[in-house]
Amino acid sequence: MIKKLNDVVFLFLFCGIVCLIGCNNILSENSNETRSLSNHFKNHFHIGAAINENTILGNDNKSKEIVVSEFNSITPENSLKWMFIQPLPGKFDFKVSDKYVNIGSKNGMYTVGHALIWHSQLAEFMQNIDNKDETLFHVKNHINTLMNRYKGKIDAWDVVNEAFEEDGSFRESVFYKNLGKNYIEDVFVLAAKVDPEVDLIYNDYNLYKSEKRLAVINMVNKFKANGTKIDGVGVQAHWDLNTPSINEIENIILDFHETGILVSFTELDISVLPNPWEMIGAEVNQNFSKFEGDPKMNPYPNGLPNNIQDKLAKRYEDIFKLFLKHSDKINRVTFWGVIDKYSWLNDWPIKGRTNYPLLFDKDYKSKKAYYKLLELKTNQN
Ligand code: G3I
């Protein structure tokens, strides 16, 4: 009888100890902080999201709740672009951008300015200028006005965006044509004079292509040799389920690390839809209207099948395993949007598709990919 009683007592004690250890793990996980992307990766890199005008103006509070609870960095998807900020010569409109910057300040976020000099979404008056003096005047005025206004509130500027072609040659933008091929460095020198504290970034897409990456690396090394301040490279990371490979992404990290600057993945999204054949990168001037309405190019109009959901989760898991492996070389990882519904990829490169590139679905719910990232082993757990 006693033996049986001993067994029961032993069993009871054993279960109690097991439960305590289990509870303790849950408690320890919960006791210090809530589960979120920013807490999960906080000892590795900033984790951010691009936010659109609706979120900035408070017309989409569900997205804002996700941003504030899950991320510790923000980027304005469009609201700081030249066509919106200075639509007419000397006429600045900071209504939306001031609200954007206040979200960052109020929530202690690493706040990014995107972008000072970019050939796209440029105010019309700038596109029509054909001389150096006028171009230089407006470039200096734009940069001085924006950087002085947001000094101490914006932590990093995409100083120049997308200045190279796929083959590594200069994009012949209005800036290149009117200011000459040294305009990128001239703009970085100006930016560093206006605000010596802020992180200065060169931002571009398709840097997994070696010719384009080499052109940027040569530019960075030239800046370094001349003592021109550049703090980081922004790798846009508009990728899909298979391209670029993990090895190609690792080459980006290693090659830029060698130049001595930090890498940021600034516009991460993973398209799950078929690519028009000749389409490459995020070059926004391509037009594929012939594919509009073609069900082959829009295979999941009413929801993402589980097997593709799993592929997307695996793809994000593989990418973030690489990011964690090299987190000493990475400053920030920013998703290009919050929920799938408002992703630019629903209308690019083909209008009217349903894409699923982000971590939160059209109903603001976390997707499998989100949970996969929270399961990754970090130096937190
Ligand atoms: O603001 C107008 C609105 O008044 C008008 O009613 C509406 C009609 O379509 O258009 C609105 O402008 C849109 C703008 O986003 C703001 O929503 C443009 O049509 C649309 O083309 C523009 O798309 C943006 C795209 O840049 C422009 O090239 C995307 O939202 C934005 O995600 C995308 O972001 C770029 C990065 O800045 C740089 N890297 C590539 C990335 C993807 O292209």
Side-chain angles (χ1 to χ4, degrees):
M1 186 60 180
I2 293 173
K3 187 154 172 346
K4 266 215 169 45
L5 191 60
N6 279 346
D7 286 351
V8 169
V9 169
F10 172 76
L11 198 60
F12 181 74
L13 282 174
F14 176 75
C15 293
I17 290 165
V18 168
C19 176
L20 262 181
I21 293 170
C23 294
N24 185 37
N25 284 348
I26 296 169
L27 282 176
S28 67
E29 201 173 278
N30 293 343
S31 56
N32 7 350
E33 56 212 358
T34 47
R35 273 159 55 104
S36 71
L37 293 165
S38 53
N39 282 334
H40 197 65
F41 296 109
K42 72 176 182 184
N43 293 344
H44 293 276
F45 33 70
H46 299 290
I47 191 117
I51 57 178
N52 62 30
E53 187 169 300
N54 273 335
T55 304
I56 294 167
L57 296 178
N59 304 330
D60 177 1
N61 282 321
K62 283 186 176 178
S63 284
K64 186 159 170 204
E65 279 158 28
I66 292 175
V67 168
V68 172
S69 58
E70 293 291 345
F71 299 100
N72 54 25
S73 175
I74 48 174
T75 299
E77 186 174 10
N78 288 292
S79 308
L80 257 172
K81 291 173 178 175
W82 195 313
M83 71 180 284
F84 299 113
I85 289 290
Q86 192 189 173
L88 297 170
K91 294 271 178 286
F92 291 89
D93 177 355
F94 295 115
K95 262 192 313 301
V96 182
S97 55
D98 283 355
K99 289 185 188 307
Y100 161 75
V101 169
N102 289 342
I103 293 172
S105 309
K106 205 165 137 253
N107 294 285
M109 302 175 106
Y110 185 86
T111 304
V112 178
H114 172 79
L116 289 172
I117 299 296
W118 186 31
H119 68 280
S120 183
Q121 291 182 280
L122 188 59
E124 190 130 348
F125 77 89
M126 279 304 291
Q127 297 175 32
N128 304 325
I129 297 173
D130 60 2
N131 66 84
K132 177 176 180 179
D133 291 349
E134 210 181 334
T135 306
L136 195 53
F137 169 79
H138 286 299
V139 163
K140 284 182 174 176
N141 188 37
H142 194 73
I143 290 175
N144 272 297
T145 306
L146 268 66
M147 292 187 76
N148 279 313
R149 185 180 187 88
Y150 295 128
K151 202 177 275 186
K153 292 184 175 175
I154 282 188
D155 301 288
W157 278 104
D158 287 343
V159 178
V160 175
N161 188 38
E162 302 177 11
F164 291 99
E165 297 292 357
E166 301 303 280
D167 63 0
S169 61
F170 284 104
R171 180 188 298 275
E172 298 200 359
S173 67
V174 64
F175 302 111
Y176 174 82
K177 281 187 274 192
N178 293 347
L179 301 178
K181 66 179 175 39
N182 210 56
Y183 85 93
I184 306 174
E185 185 164 12
D186 296 341
V187 167
F188 269 82
V189 168
L190 170 60
K193 276 201 189 97
V194 178
D195 184 351
E197 302 308 315
V198 73
D199 288 345
L200 303 179
I201 312 281
Y202 173 77
N203 194 53
D204 214 328
Y205 60 87
N206 274 10
L207 292 178
Y208 68 90
K209 293 163 72 73
S210 47
E211 289 171 305
K212 190 169 193 177
R213 183 165 73 251
L214 185 61
V216 179
I217 286 169
N218 289 339
M219 178 191 79
V220 173
N221 287 331
K222 182 166 165 270
F223 282 23
K224 294 281 181 184
N226 297 341
T228 299
K229 185 174 184 277
I230 179 166
D231 301 287
V233 61
V235 181
Q236 291 187 7
H238 294 295
W239 295 334
D240 65 35
L241 286 171
N242 304 301
T243 317
S245 69
I246 293 300
N247 185 48
E248 286 173 315
I249 300 170
E250 188 161 41
N251 289 339
I252 297 172
I253 297 170
L254 297 174
D255 285 357
F256 280 107
H257 179 66
E258 242 179 77
T259 68
I261 61 174
L262 282 174
V263 177
S264 289
F265 291 92
T266 52
E267 307 183 11
L268 178 58
D269 45 29
I270 305 286
S271 174
V272 298
L273 299 183
N275 247 341
W277 296 279
E278 55 273 16
M279 192 273 288
I280 43 171
E283 172 51 67
V284 292
N285 298 327
Q286 295 173 10
N287 177 341
F288 295 95
S289 48
K290 63 185 175 193
F291 292 111
E292 282 174 33
D294 177 347
K296 282 198 302 304
M297 300 308 280
N298 187 30
Y300 318 117
N302 306 312
L304 194 62
N306 277 335
N307 66 318
I308 311 295
Q309 199 75 257
D310 291 342
K311 279 186 182 167
L312 180 68
K314 177 75 170 58
R315 176 67 162 156
Y316 268 121
E317 181 187 27
D318 292 345
I319 289 170
F320 269 75
K321 275 182 181 168
L322 180 71
F323 288 175
L324 287 168
K325 175 182 171 188
H326 293 292
S327 65
D328 59 312
K329 309 174 185 73
I330 296 171
N331 180 46
R332 169 170 57 98
V333 179
T334 292
F335 290 89
W336 202 243
V338 182
I339 66 167
D340 288 339
K341 182 177 169 186
Y342 299 126
S343 170
W344 72 292
L345 287 172
N346 291 315
D347 290 311
W348 190 88
I350 303 170
K351 284 197 178 317
R353 297 204 294 177
T354 308
N355 212 324
Y356 304 80
L358 299 166
L359 298 185
F360 301 90
D361 69 18
K362 64 178 176 54
D363 301 318
Y364 302 87
K365 288 204 176 30
S366 312
K367 293 156 67 175
K368 271 182 194 167
Y370 167 86
Y371 293 107
K372 266 284 178 232
L373 297 191
L374 287 191
E375 286 162 19
L376 284 174
K377 188 138 188 52
T378 68
N379 62 15
Q380 277 269 82
N381 55 17

